[in-house]
Amino acid sequence: HSVCGLVAHKFQDGHQLPASNCGSWWRPGQGAEGCLHAKYLLYDVNPPEGFNLRRDVYIRMASLVKTLRKEGDDWVLVLPPWGRLYHWQSPNLHQIRIPWGEFFSLTSLQANVPVIEYEEFIAENGGPFIDHVLVLQNYAEGWTDGKWEEKVDERPCIEKLMYSKDKHGYYRGWFWGYEETRARNVTCLSAQGHASVIAPVLQKNITATSVMLDRAETLLHDHYAGKDYWNTRRSMVFAKHLRLIGDNFRSRHLNSTDETDHTPYSEDWTRMKAKPGSAKGGPYLGVHLRRKDFIWGHREDVPSLKGAVKKIRSLMKKHKLDKVFVATDADDEEMKELKKLLPDMVRFEPSTEDLELFKDGGVAIIDQWICAHARFFIGTSVSTFSFRIHEEREILGFDPKTTYNRFCGDTEKECEQPTHWKIVY
Ligand SMILES: Nc1nc2c(ncn2[C@@H]2O[C@H](COP(=O)(O)OP(=O)(O)O)[C@@H](O)[C@H]2O)c(=O)[nH]1
Ligand SMILES: *[C@@H]1O[C@H](CO)[C@@H](O)[C@H](O)[C@H]1NC(C)=O
Ligand SMILES: *[C@@H]1O[C@H](CO)[C@@H](O)[C@H](O)[C@H]1NC(C)=O
Ligand SMILES: *[C@@H]1O[C@H](CO)[C@@H](O)[C@H](O)[C@H]1NC(C)=O
Ligand SMILES: [Mg+2]
């Protein structure tokens, strides 16, 4: 644990947590071991949501913390441990209570907004107690007069509460698999609007030191694809060990290196500013083929495997690429069919030991990293997994024509292609 006070934290906004002199963060009575943040913002997301939408919700929460800090209080964002995700189905793997540091570079995140891991929060806070959980929800009556307005109100809970009182009067709930975590109070809040609409409530109505927003996806982006959005997105640098595995795979199986591909990467995201079009990418087609729940509903914007392979072959020919890297969540049966249709495809298939080490989340990141370095990329309609690859390629400096492409359904008529979101530096 790095309880603040033992380790100096320096944040990009100039604010620094000193190593020994705790200044205003230190509260008497909390022990001499360290200084403390004044206010902790915790959050969680609707359980069925996957990894890549959760990454999007992080951006909204980081923006909220930036707003809260403008008023002067030393708010810090507590990173919700990863786990129990529906798509993480590898057997015999214990995939809960995974800290963010296993997937992302914490120092990179911290250069954008102050963040700490949940276990650091427990240490700083002196125990697994959260003062107040606000369960976010919409308004029971919907939008009145069909008119959109931003608002927040304390309201009775609409859905059955996912928290229950124990015999000591504390609230128990999922809390990322930390069974000993308890909340002192749980109330519901109807909210409609951008993440920062609830800033005044957190600043004025709630006096608690630690506040958790559950169902945080209820709040919208403060300014989608604006400068703050991109700063936060750029700070979400993948953990170095995962990038190294991806780079190794690129060089061994795809003849792809940063030098030959013109994709130099800086460990410090604040120094990354690649010129659009400067990246060339490795000599392979990158494919993200989303299956499972995307085909069960027989959506018309998702192709059959045959249709996808036909498109892959035509793209390889058009761009004179003789290799194709495929990232997919296809089940065993579909995988067999795909291998028959596209025997020469390259895939990242981790050994049992590697899977144990990286877990399903790490393997997905490696897939994304390899797709992000392809000369040409094609993804799946409205998949946030594909969207995160678009952003990564934008950061690396690819020509948008090589990035914002998606498969069309076999019988889809108007196959609208993904939107190009340009980085604001
Ligand atoms: N390794 C790997 N996992 C994938 C791939 N596509 C989907 N998945 C898994 O399925 C999940 C999809 O959920 P999500 O991240 O919400 O993206 P979305 O549902 O496509 O918008 C991912 O987080 C991965 O766990 C893939 O190409 N490679
Ligand atoms: C916050 O406090 C103000 C002023 O006391 C009150 O009008 C408002 O309804 C409160 N909002 C919430 C969400 O509790
Ligand atoms: C819980 O929070 C609500 C809303 O802020 C407040 O009215 C109530 O008094 C709190 N309950 C306890 C036990 O602190
Ligand atoms: C790998 O790429 C380099 C140029 O980037 C090329 O000269 C070389 O022939 C390629 N090797 C193979 C095996 O394709
Ligand atoms: Mg999803």
Side-chain angles (χ1 to χ4, degrees), residues 233-284:
R233 177 60 185 84
R234 288 162 63 222
S235 77
M236 298 179 82
V237 171
F238 291 135
K240 190 166 187 177
H241 68 284
L242 300 176
R243 283 182 280 129
L244 284 179
I245 300 289
D247 289 342
N248 223 328
F249 187 90
R250 283 166 56 211
S251 110
R252 282 183 53 195
H253 301 279
L254 298 161
N255 196 17
S256 160
T257 65
D258 286 350
E259 293 75 46
T260 53
D261 302 355
H262 305 304
T263 50
Y265 198 71
S266 170
E267 214 46 53
D268 177 357
W269 63 269
T270 63
R271 290 166 187 269
M272 276 287 281
K273 194 176 176 183
K275 223 175 117 220
S278 62
K280 186 171 166 224
Y284 58 97

Side-chain angles (χ1 to χ4, degrees), residues 50-52 87-88 288 290 294 327-329 363-364 367 383-385:
F51 187 67
N52 290 289
H87 295 93
W88 293 357
H288 175 232
R290 183 75 160 81
F294 272 43
T328 182
D329 62 332
V363 171
D367 267 348
S383 162
T384 56
F385 188 106

Side-chain angles (χ1 to χ4, degrees), residues 349-423:
E349 288 169 296
S351 63
T352 314
E353 298 80 50
D354 282 354
L355 182 58
E356 260 172 45
L357 221 55
F358 311 143
K359 311 202 176 60
D360 285 317
V363 171
I365 285 172
I366 294 165
D367 267 348
Q368 288 182 314
W369 186 247
I370 299 169
C371 282
H373 286 80
R375 186 137 325 151
F376 192 94
F377 172 72
I378 183 164
T380 303
S381 177
V382 303
S383 162
T384 56
F385 188 106
S386 291
F387 291 162
R388 300 291 90 83
I389 294 171
H390 297 163
E391 294 156 359
E392 210 64 42
R393 292 175 65 85
E394 198 70 21
I395 292 167
L396 289 168
F398 278 93
D399 180 333
K401 284 200 282 297
T402 71
T403 293
Y404 297 90
N405 310 292
R406 72 154 173 105
F407 288 105
C408 304
D410 292 358
T411 57
E412 195 180 357
K413 286 198 192 68
E414 272 175 44
C415 177
E416 199 187 326
Q417 294 297 297
T419 311
H420 174 203
W421 297 102
K422 230 174 142 209
I423 301 182

